[in-house]
Amino acid sequence: MELSNENIIFDTDPRMRQNSSNVELPLKEEDKELLMALYQYVKDSQDDELCAKRNLSPAVGIASIQVGIPKKLLAVVVPMEDGTTKEFALANPKIVSKSMQKAYLAGGEGCLSVPDPHAGPVPRANHIKVRAYDLLSDQNVVIEETGYPAIVLQHEIDHLSGILFYDRIVDHVTEDMIEIE
Ligand SMILES: [Zn+2]
């Protein structure tokens, strides 16, 4: 299975608002294939040549519902400042704790399923702990992330409940929130 922009559904599609369902573990073959295809979309989308060749849009994450399949599967590939990447291909992710401290991206957020720009800060927890099964490491994991990767994970996990980033845009940020460049 290979995904491209032709598979992506937009926020005008009511499916984007539905709740996704847990998948059975161990993963069935079809769920593994879908999850790997989601991961490959994001990974390849960060390479300019592959992006053009495969008809992808640059992304750091994608959830299964964005290709119209309401399953709790998502992939993130977040490039870090030190040149490494935070990569996960998760099934049934669940946020088990969140910091009170909030953070937001200075440039706002974007989404493969939201073609129109929506400017404005999206405050989210600066630190989160997520429990999931990770296909890349083939094990149950507890992920703890802070800052940018934590925000990306929350954006993708929101998709599993039909929430879009612009639902969370606020008019004003407060001084105690961390701005991430
Ligand atoms: Zn999104």
Side-chain angles (χ1 to χ4, degrees):
M1 183 192 298
E2 204 168 68
L3 297 169
S4 76
N5 283 338
E6 281 170 35
N7 303 99
I8 305 285
I9 64 169
F10 297 122
D11 54 347
T12 44
D13 188 316
R15 285 177 289 176
M16 285 305 297
R17 293 301 190 173
Q18 78 184 79
N19 286 311
S20 292
S21 304
N22 276 312
V23 290
E24 212 176 289
L25 293 173
L27 287 180
K28 289 183 189 151
E29 214 42 53
E30 58 170 298
D31 291 338
K32 267 190 199 174
E33 270 180 35
L34 172 59
L35 187 48
M36 278 317 287
L38 292 167
Y39 167 74
Q40 207 60 49
Y41 179 109
V42 181
K43 186 97 184 148
D44 291 351
S45 83
Q46 295 176 17
D47 177 310
D48 289 344
E49 266 177 45
L50 285 175
C51 220
K53 202 168 101 187
R54 289 196 44 214
N55 182 26
L56 312 171
S57 300
V60 289
I62 191 173
S64 173
I65 192 61
Q66 294 182 269
V67 295
I69 303 170
K71 290 181 175 178
K72 288 192 182 175
L73 299 171
L74 64 84
V76 302
V77 179
V78 182
M80 302 297 284
E81 271 179 357
D82 63 2
T84 62
T85 55
K86 299 271 189 181
E87 304 191 354
F88 303 104
L90 304 181
N92 304 338
K94 190 173 176 348
I95 296 175
V96 289
S97 72
K98 280 184 178 194
S99 63
M100 293 293 289
Q101 173 74 61
K102 297 273 201 273
Y104 61 95
L105 300 181
E109 296 186 15
C111 181
L112 289 171
S113 297
V114 181
D116 298 330
H118 292 261
V122 183
R124 298 185 185 275
N126 184 51
H127 182 89
I128 55 163
K129 200 191 265 196
V130 176
R131 254 182 230 287
Y133 165 79
D134 177 37
L135 182 57
L136 300 182
S137 58
D138 185 25
Q139 58 187 347
N140 291 314
V141 289
V142 177
I143 300 162
E144 283 204 61
E145 292 294 345
T146 304
Y148 187 41
I151 285 178
V152 174
L153 279 165
Q154 287 168 87
H155 175 120
E156 299 312 329
I157 291 170
D158 265 355
H159 279 306
L160 309 181
S161 324
I163 300 167
L164 295 167
F165 75 90
Y166 53 71
D167 301 339
R168 297 192 186 276
I169 289 178
V170 296
D171 292 332
H172 302 286
V173 291
T174 51
E175 262 178 34
D176 56 316
M177 294 179 187
I178 298 171
E179 184 181 65
I180 299 172
E181 287 303 326

